[in-house]
């Protein structure tokens, strides 16, 4: 299970932001990921300026993938997108039932 967090520009219109999230969710799915949850977290102020912005909209996606294809493709496209300011993928360990 993976947790992907990315920060979206705060000045995007709602329709454009929705289209961006749908596009990047589709990138994950098209490359073999199974999305469990994709949701906005909140709009937060940054500790330091990022690309001229002082705040951004955080979006979190929880997903599973059998290989790194989905992560690599998301990473590649997020780096060239001007709408995603930062992103991070973390592998989550699933606690064993006792």
């Amino acid at each position: 299970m993976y947790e992907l967090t990315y920060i979206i520009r705060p000045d995007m219109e709602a329709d454009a932001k929705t289209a961006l999230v749908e596009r990047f969710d589709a990138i994950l799915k098209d490359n073999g990921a199974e999305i469990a949850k994709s949701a906005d977290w909140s709009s937060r102020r940054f500790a330091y300026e990022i690309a001229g912005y002082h705040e951004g909209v955080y979006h979190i996606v929880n997903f599973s993938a059998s290989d790194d294809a989905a992560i690599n493709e998301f990473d590649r496209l997020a780096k060239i997108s001007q709408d995603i300011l930062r992103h991070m993928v973390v592998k989550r360990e699933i606690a064993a039932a006792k």
Side-chain angles (χ1 to χ4, degrees):
M1 181 67 81
Y2 295 91
E3 182 175 280
L4 165 65
T5 304
Y6 58 98
I7 305 170
I8 303 168
R9 289 187 303 118
D11 59 353
M12 289 187 75
E13 293 187 19
D15 292 342
K17 187 178 86 49
T18 301
L20 176 81
V21 168
E22 289 173 356
R23 180 175 153 234
F24 277 92
D25 282 355
I27 289 166
L28 291 170
K29 290 177 190 174
D30 291 347
N31 286 281
E34 186 176 316
I35 296 177
K37 180 181 174 187
S38 178
D40 283 345
W41 184 21
S42 67
S43 180
R44 296 195 175 233
R45 188 152 180 80
F46 302 146
Y48 56 91
E49 184 178 298
I50 300 174
Y53 295 99
H54 296 281
E55 65 181 39
V57 178
Y58 285 70
H59 190 85
I60 296 180
V61 181
N62 291 316
F63 67 96
S64 58
S66 58
D67 59 21
D68 292 342
I71 296 167
N72 292 339
E73 186 63 7
F74 183 96
D75 184 55
R76 184 182 76 79
L77 294 172
K79 285 179 180 175
I80 60 175
S81 172
Q82 294 182 355
D83 297 325
I84 295 179
L85 303 176
R86 292 282 191 276
H87 67 281
M88 178 176 67
V89 179
V90 177
K91 186 170 185 173
R92 299 185 63 177
E93 297 297 325
I94 299 173
K98 292 184 179 184

